[in-house]
Amino acid sequence: MELKTIELTKKFGSRAAVNGLNITLSNGVYGLLGANGAGKTTLMRLLCNIQNPTSGKILLNGKNIVGLGEKYRELLGYLPQHFGYYPNFTALDFLLYIAALKGLSEKTAKKKSKELLEAVDLSAESKHKIQTFSGGMKQRLGIAQAMLNDPHILILDEPTAGLDPKERVRFRNLISVFAKKRIVILSTHIVSDVEFIAEEIIMMKSGQVVHFGKPQEITAEINGQVWECIVPSEKAEKSAATFNTSNLRNIDGSQTILRIIADHPPMENALPVQPNLEDLYLFYFKGDTKR
């Protein structure tokens, strides 16, 4: 399966949220990274055919998705950043309702709903009303509803928001298994989640792709620009604020290791270290709070 964008552009007034995008996706997990306002959500909505592009097109195996219509939507699973639910529904009733909307038979709907509730660790709460759920439980239910129709293209916007570390590990394992012979696109601000499961990274800024490739390949851009420095713990906070710091770690009661992104050694005792995806993210988006 191949999903391809050709000069894909979406404008809101004079602002281009997505600007002349050309990417080709095949089976696998893609991590979509970028600061607020980078165009990630707009791109995902375009790929889901929820919004129409201002210009350009999206092709599935060479055919325009607009012409495919309902046949394309049947292949999709989508979790928006804020998904809607009925608070008085139980978790099981909600999945059965969504399954009916997606055209699943009653037998298939019951089977898939129970399997997915087990997969997202909500079996024990299947008959509890959603209004009693925590934020993380609602998010897990949202992930389950996106996967009900066994989609060939799964698009998840901030799927790990509200999940605790154990739940995030469960999610990563679930997606890794599910992604075989499917296209999975996930956007998250939790860079470590993407680093663990994404085979390729799409990094967006100002509506354009600034990097597209395997994590170890794209981080090579900042080789020689990531450093670790040891400072007295009482000076760590001030030093971290002075430099572009991706991490600080206390090594005892009196010393702290700072991980700093800089094009030259920031301190006399600075040692170069191998960059990771979070370092690259901060290299591009430090201080970018645009919404």
Side-chain angles (χ1 to χ4, degrees), residues 225-240:
Q225 297 185 61
V226 184
W227 314 85
E228 284 193 348
C229 313
I230 298 176
V231 298
S233 292
E234 65 270 16
K235 295 182 179 180
E237 187 174 342
K238 183 178 179 180
S239 297

Side-chain angles (χ1 to χ4, degrees), residues 13-29:
S14 61
R15 185 180 72 86
V18 172
N19 191 6
L21 210 63
N22 293 291
I23 56 174
T24 300
L25 310 178
S26 54
N27 294 337
V29 182

Side-chain angles (χ1 to χ4, degrees), residues 1 14 30 56 63 66 119 124 141 153 220 258 261 270:
M1 180 173 291
S14 61
Y30 296 84
K63 296 181 180 180
V66 175
L141 184 63
I153 302 168
L258 300 183
I261 300 100

Side-chain angles (χ1 to χ4, degrees), residues 3-5 8 10 18 23 25 32 39-53 57-60 64-81 102 145-146 149 151-157 183-187:
L3 192 62
K4 185 174 185 177
T5 71
L8 187 66
K10 179 64 178 178
V18 172
I23 56 174
L25 310 178
L32 186 57
K40 306 185 304 297
T41 295
T42 299
L43 173 60
M44 286 185 282
R45 289 175 67 84
L46 289 168
L47 292 174
C48 288
N49 203 20
I50 295 170
Q51 292 179 335
N52 294 319
K57 54 189 173 181
I58 302 169
L59 305 178
L60 176 65
N64 196 315
I65 66 169
V66 175
L68 290 172
E70 191 63 31
K71 289 182 179 179
Y72 177 70
R73 286 185 285 275
E74 287 174 357
L75 300 175
L76 284 173
Y78 178 48
L79 173 66
Q81 190 169 355
K102 293 186 176 186
Q145 65 81 29
N149 59 327
H152 289 75
I153 302 168
L154 180 62
I155 299 176
L156 307 168
D157 194 355
I183 296 172
V184 178
I185 304 166
L186 62 96
S187 167

Side-chain angles (χ1 to χ4, degrees), residues 120-138:
V120 298
D121 198 25
L122 285 176
S123 288
E125 291 80 18
S126 65
K127 296 184 179 180
H128 295 177
K129 290 185 177 182
I130 302 173
Q131 64 186 4
T132 67
F133 285 9
S134 67
M137 292 166 70
K138 291 173 184 173

Side-chain angles (χ1 to χ4, degrees), residues 34-38 189 205 281 284-291:
N36 291 324
H189 283 89
K205 186 171 186 177
Y281 184 92
Y284 273 102
F285 302 114
K286 183 184 186 306
D288 190 344
T289 58
K290 181 176 64 174
R291 292 185 180 272

